Amino acid sequence: MDKDKLLTESKVFCMAPWIHAHTSPIGDFSACCISKEKFGSSLENSLEQLVNSDGMRNLRTNMIFEKESPSCTTCYQHEKQGQNSFRNKFNKDFGKDLEESLIHTNMFGYLSNFKMRYFDLRFTNICNFKCRTCNSAFSSQWEFENLKRKLPDARVFDKNNKPEFLKEILDHVPYMETAYFAGGEPLITEEHYILLEEMIRLGKTDIQLSYNSNASNLKFKQKDVIDLWSRFSKPILMAASIDHYGERAEYIRNGTNWAQVESNLLKFRSLDNISLTLNTVVSIFNYTTLHDFYNYIIDKNIILPSDYVHTTYSMVSPEHLTARALPKELKAMGKQGIQSLIVSMRAKGFLSHQTNAIGKNISWAETEHTWDTYKTMFQEEVTALDKVRGESFISVFPELTSLLD
């Protein structure tokens, strides 16, 4: 078997099934966070059972014998579009472990010596926000609201933090090179702190810690996350999920105290051991005023021309909340704002790869015009949530008043 060829020429091989494990906040196990297939549940299976489930074994054998797998369609699509994929990243970062991994893999894809080098297990959907662009699978705050609204799929999710499962994870701390914490909200998740303290206890403070967080809380019970992070040798990679500022931020991500979040972002920015980026979900709520948001955070020095990049995610689901669902005249308003923003950012020293991350939202918004299809669904959801939460869409987004006509 040509190991170098697997890493450099194969269109399907990926190191993830050998060095990585992913569970969603409700316990669904898959090969990675963008995998299209689920291979069991951490509520019902041990880590060893999940790693060597039928699905994972088949995935490994498919990769070795150059056969595409349904799990990996997202990476295939990204690569066909010329984008860098998760598969590319895993192979680049963990290709050094290929020989050892294959030694412990039999012809049926069974991995006898799994070492979790990349951690991404989400133990719970506990969160202090209920974002308009999220749902109960990723935030516990939706549960009781959904029950109040008598939605058919409303339920309270069990935490997938069985003591024996958590112990299995802790046993892998000596092998970890990267630990990615998301949620829910990781900075108010108890297991996150148990893991950090175990890393510190074992002297594994060279692990690369990476976060996707709403940046609302820096303390949990008696624990100070800034103090814990100071024990680690590599800069903490903090991707803050921020979609707007002020009352718009508080509406889109219900639970936000903007003054506190802004203070925390500025604190991150002031610390040398934290690398701050923003991860903005672009949706029907903020597309037309995305330029206002960026101008604000640039003026506040929350983002700087010296930063590598700040990412935007063009929301794809549910369709009635995507930028594609805006009427054409509002899309034109958003396009004009984004184009003027890019000109302004370039004048301030931001580079093309930084502004391209924002500009790409224009092409996404205009791929389809679906307002007529999703108008009723949007209006019904916004009206129902406004009533339950005591909020007013029109007062917060006056430029979008016509959406409720």
Side-chain angles (χ1 to χ4, degrees):
M1 185 182 300
D2 190 332
K3 301 178 182 62
D4 290 335
K5 187 175 180 180
L6 281 177
L7 291 174
T8 60
E9 297 183 24
S10 172
K11 302 298 183 184
V12 300
F13 183 81
C14 177
M15 283 298 303
W18 279 268
I19 53 84
H20 173 52
H22 172 75
T23 55
S24 76
I26 58 175
D28 290 336
F29 179 87
S30 55
C32 73
C33 66
I34 61 171
S35 173
K36 297 296 186 181
E37 293 184 300
K38 306 296 182 285
F39 298 138
S41 170
S42 61
L43 298 173
E44 302 169 0
N45 307 108
S46 69
L47 179 62
E48 198 282 331
Q49 289 171 334
L50 293 169
V51 166
N52 282 307
S53 61
D54 290 346
M56 288 292 284
R57 287 189 286 107
N58 289 336
L59 185 59
R60 292 189 193 102
T61 55
N62 283 350
M63 288 180 175
I64 290 172
F65 292 105
E66 292 290 309
K67 182 180 178 181
E68 290 191 355
S69 299
S71 292
C72 307
T73 55
T74 299
C75 281
Y76 303 153
Q77 290 168 358
H78 285 169
E79 291 169 20
K80 286 177 182 177
Q81 296 166 1
Q83 300 180 38
N84 197 31
S85 67
F86 266 31
R87 187 183 78 86
N88 298 147
K89 180 172 174 55
F90 273 112
N91 288 346
K92 178 182 177 182
D93 293 346
F94 298 99
K96 58 184 174 50
D97 301 308
L98 174 60
E99 185 169 0
E100 179 185 350
S101 298
L102 292 180
I103 288 173
H104 296 287
T105 306
N106 70 15
M107 62 184 297
F108 303 108
Y110 182 88
L111 180 59
S112 61
N113 188 24
F114 173 66
K115 295 180 179 179
M116 188 188 303
R117 303 186 189 278
Y118 186 104
F119 166 91
D120 180 13
L121 299 175
R122 310 185 190 185
F123 291 98
T124 173
N125 69 334
I126 190 167
C127 187
N128 53 338
F129 285 9
K130 41 188 176 181
C131 306
R132 293 270 178 158
T133 53
C134 190
N135 57 64
S136 58
F138 294 93
S139 171
S140 56
Q141 290 294 310
W142 281 82
E143 294 167 354
F144 303 106
E145 188 170 87
N146 284 353
L147 291 170
K148 186 176 180 179
R149 293 172 62 196
K150 299 180 180 179
L151 297 181
D153 60 346
R155 65 187 179 101
V156 176
F157 292 102
D158 294 325
K159 292 178 70 174
N160 56 327
N161 65 342
K162 296 182 300 181
E164 58 271 27
F165 189 74
L166 177 58
K167 183 182 183 305
E168 285 186 278
I169 304 307
L170 292 174
D171 288 342
H172 281 266
V173 167
Y175 310 123
M176 290 181 189
E177 298 176 23
T178 298
Y180 175 63
F181 295 100
E185 171 48 41
L187 299 188
I188 60 169
T189 301
E190 186 168 7
E191 292 79 7
H192 160 252
Y193 292 92
I194 292 173
L195 273 161
L196 290 193
E197 290 177 335
E198 180 67 1
M199 293 171 186
I200 293 169
R201 187 185 74 82
L202 294 176
K204 281 288 295 181
T205 54
D206 60 344
I207 296 174
Q208 177 66 73
L209 303 182
S210 180
Y211 290 83
N212 191 297
S213 166
N214 61 35
S216 62
N217 283 349
L218 304 184
K219 296 183 186 296
F220 175 77
K221 297 182 178 179
Q222 303 302 314
K223 304 180 191 302
D224 184 327
V225 73
I226 298 294
D227 176 62
L228 290 170
W229 286 344
S230 70
R231 320 286 182 86
F232 288 80
S233 60
K234 296 178 180 177
I236 309 303
L237 305 181
M238 168 54 67
S241 298
I242 311 293
D243 302 336
H244 226 303
Y245 71 96
E247 64 176 356
R248 288 174 176 164
E250 294 174 347
Y251 183 97
I252 297 172
R253 294 183 179 270
N254 180 281
T256 299
N257 177 330
W258 175 251
Q260 183 61 59
V261 169
E262 182 176 310
S263 174
N264 290 344
L265 293 174
L266 291 171
K267 185 175 183 65
F268 292 156
R269 177 55 76 189
S270 70
L271 296 172
D272 292 336
N273 69 323
I274 298 178
S275 176
L276 174 66
T277 60
L278 299 192
N279 183 30
T280 299
V281 176
V282 179
S283 69
I284 198 170
F285 297 108
N286 63 356
Y287 182 74
T288 60
T289 54
L290 197 64
H291 60 291
D292 288 335
F293 166 57
Y294 267 88
N295 284 328
Y296 180 89
I297 57 178
I298 289 170
D299 288 345
K300 291 285 185 176
N301 291 321
I302 292 173
I303 69 171
L304 304 170
S306 57
D307 297 335
Y308 175 65
V309 72
H310 296 276
T311 59
T312 61
Y313 170 70
S314 298
M315 188 179 180
V316 299
S317 178
E319 279 279 1
H320 64 282
L321 298 182
T322 72
R324 301 198 304 182
L326 282 164
K328 291 181 181 180
E329 62 273 16
L330 289 175
K331 288 183 183 181
M333 181 191 303
K335 178 179 180 179
Q336 183 178 10
I338 291 172
Q339 289 175 332
S340 65
L341 168 67
I342 290 172
V343 171
S344 171
M345 289 179 68
R346 293 303 298 271
K348 293 175 181 177
F350 286 88
L351 302 177
S352 59
H353 73 271
Q354 296 168 309
T355 56
N356 287 345
I358 302 168
K360 69 179 183 180
N361 292 286
I362 296 174
S363 58
W364 166 253
E366 295 182 354
T367 52
E368 286 190 65
H369 302 292
T370 60
W371 175 242
D372 289 339
T373 302
Y374 295 110
K375 172 181 179 179
T376 300
M377 190 180 300
F378 171 81
Q379 292 175 340
E380 288 178 350
E381 180 172 312
V382 166
T383 301
L385 282 177
D386 277 2
K387 183 176 180 181
V388 170
R389 297 180 179 183
E391 296 177 337
S392 171
F393 174 79
I394 290 175
S395 66
V396 177
F397 303 99
E399 72 282 357
L400 301 179
T401 297
S402 62
L403 295 183
L404 293 190
D405 289 344

